[in-house]
Amino acid sequence: MSRIQRRTWLGRDYLVAPVVMLTVGVHNGSGGPLFYPPEEMEKSVPLWNGRPIVLRHPDQYPYSATTPEVLSKQWLGSVFNVAFDGRRLTGEAWFDEERVKVLDYPLWVRLNRSEPVEVSTGLYTSNEPVSETLNGSGYTHVARQHRPDHLAILPDQRGACSLAAGCGLLRNSENRELDQFDELSTSFPFLNSMYEPEPDHAQAVA
């Protein structure tokens, strides 16, 4: 069974959890039922590293977590060591332990117990119109050109790609060892390169 591991980085204590952020398939998020194809998920892997982890999604336009205002209120940590195994987008969720205690103490308790928690991806996509069905699930668009913004933790909500569907914290059944973290090559979330997203294509899915 996957469990929380403890790490120290830049003098701060972190709780590190394996996470499945997204799976190939149809997910009915804020943009309706979209199909997330494997080739687009694979291309997004390097763009996810260093993305901020926040407590729930930002609730004000343009719904990006990469602003000082959102980070100061909702930032919990960062996503690292992202990979794609052909059907799942996986990674490590690095939680700043003190931030979690301050923002959501019950979540800190759950993490220390290695309890699974729902997550949701915040990413921008360019949606290709289609009308198809996959395994009985209809969808109206294919989500192309993924531009990750953040990973939201949903302690009291269900993600579109839910725990039951195979996503979430501590749902990585591979139970692989945590990769050695190279602090010289990974930026702190506030220093990540920024981009100008297309707000009408913002999606909160998994």
Side-chain angles (χ1 to χ4, degrees), residues 107-119:
L107 174 61
W108 177 81
V109 173
R110 292 176 67 183
L111 291 175
N112 275 276
R113 292 175 177 171
S114 292
E115 296 180 4
V117 180
E118 297 271 2
V119 303

Side-chain angles (χ1 to χ4, degrees), residues 155-172:
D156 51 8
Q157 299 171 318
R158 179 172 177 167
C161 186
S162 64
L163 288 170
C167 289
L169 292 174
L170 298 156
R171 288 291 280 115
N172 191 338

Side-chain angles (χ1 to χ4, degrees), residues 136-149:
S137 298
Y139 57 95
T140 59
H141 293 79
V142 177
R144 303 287 187 190
Q145 300 178 5
H146 298 186
R147 281 102 59 204
D149 184 83

Side-chain angles (χ1 to χ4, degrees), residues 76-187:
L76 296 174
S78 303
V79 177
F80 294 120
N81 296 316
V82 177
F84 180 66
D85 66 6
R87 61 187 181 88
R88 304 179 308 166
L89 189 68
T90 65
E92 295 169 2
W94 285 61
F95 290 93
D96 183 296
E97 188 164 14
E98 287 304 313
R99 285 286 292 181
V100 178
K101 285 182 181 179
V102 169
L103 294 184
D104 194 320
Y105 188 82
L107 174 61
W108 177 81
V109 173
R110 292 176 67 183
L111 291 175
N112 275 276
R113 292 175 177 171
S114 292
E115 296 180 4
V117 180
E118 297 271 2
V119 303
S120 179
T121 55
L123 68 154
Y124 298 96
T125 60
S126 297
N127 299 331
E128 174 187 329
V130 296
S131 181
E132 301 287 349
T133 300
L134 178 68
N135 297 328
S137 298
Y139 57 95
T140 59
H141 293 79
V142 177
R144 303 287 187 190
Q145 300 178 5
H146 298 186
R147 281 102 59 204
D149 184 83
H150 64 273
L151 179 69
I153 305 302
L154 307 179
D156 51 8
Q157 299 171 318
R158 179 172 177 167
C161 186
S162 64
L163 288 170
C167 289
L169 292 174
L170 298 156
R171 288 291 280 115
N172 191 338
S173 61
E174 290 181 356
N175 203 20
R176 63 185 175 86
E177 290 295 322
L178 293 172
D179 294 335
Q180 185 66 34
F181 185 63
D182 182 0
E183 65 182 54
L184 296 178
S185 63
T186 309
S187 300

